[in-house]
Amino acid sequence: YNGDLDVFTKALLMLEVPFVILRKLTVSIPCEGYYVRGLIALSMALSPLWMNIYLWYSNGLHLWSSPVFWSYVGVCWIVALALIRLAPGGGGANFSLYASTPIALYGFVIAATWIDIVADSLVSLLDFIGIVLRIPGPIVGLTILA
């Protein structure tokens, strides 16, 4: 409970919850001193689904029938199962640097795709608002989008 937030801010935070859950379920980043082995494995397993959605949205690529996509899914699922089975659990145990670095790098790439989608949607929305309010494109680019 956060009593210092007004109703509008709380409503906006509630609207953000589904996107936070989807982001948490697809971005696998092991943190030092705190990580949830199951969540990292689940995010590793679900990240190919997000990458397919991202490539479809940004480039129009449909990869559901591609053998490359399904081999990518297989590799991610094998890594996810290995994480569940072999990653240290609880009690303040940490990943070794050799294991956590590739996972963190992969999580960074997935997070960058989330940032790209959100930024693209935001720029499109602000461009639309500029068109509706009849603000010239250079003014929108120099003031609102800057």
Side-chain angles (χ1 to χ4, degrees), residues 75-116:
V75 167
C76 285
W77 275 82
I78 289 170
V79 170
L81 292 173
L83 282 170
I84 288 176
R85 178 68 179 106
L86 302 173
N94 289 326
F95 272 133
S96 71
L97 187 60
Y98 296 112
S100 63
T101 302
I103 295 170
L105 181 63
Y106 180 71
F108 176 77
V109 170
I110 299 295
T113 61
W114 274 97
I115 292 169
D116 184 40

Side-chain angles (χ1 to χ4, degrees), residues 41-136:
L42 183 63
S43 64
M44 183 65 73
L46 293 179
S47 62
L49 176 64
W50 166 250
M51 282 301 286
N52 194 21
I53 292 169
Y54 170 73
L55 290 172
W56 172 72
Y57 181 78
S58 64
N59 299 328
L61 296 174
H62 299 280
L63 299 177
W64 291 109
S65 60
S66 169
V68 173
F69 172 72
W70 288 107
S71 59
Y72 171 52
V73 170
V75 167
C76 285
W77 275 82
I78 289 170
V79 170
L81 292 173
L83 282 170
I84 288 176
R85 178 68 179 106
L86 302 173
N94 289 326
F95 272 133
S96 71
L97 187 60
Y98 296 112
S100 63
T101 302
I103 295 170
L105 181 63
Y106 180 71
F108 176 77
V109 170
I110 299 295
T113 61
W114 274 97
I115 292 169
D116 184 40
I117 290 290
V118 170
D120 187 44
S121 300
L122 182 63
V123 167
S124 298
L125 176 69
L126 292 175
D127 196 29
F128 174 74
I129 290 172
I131 290 170
V132 168
L133 296 177
R134 297 183 183 173
I135 301 171

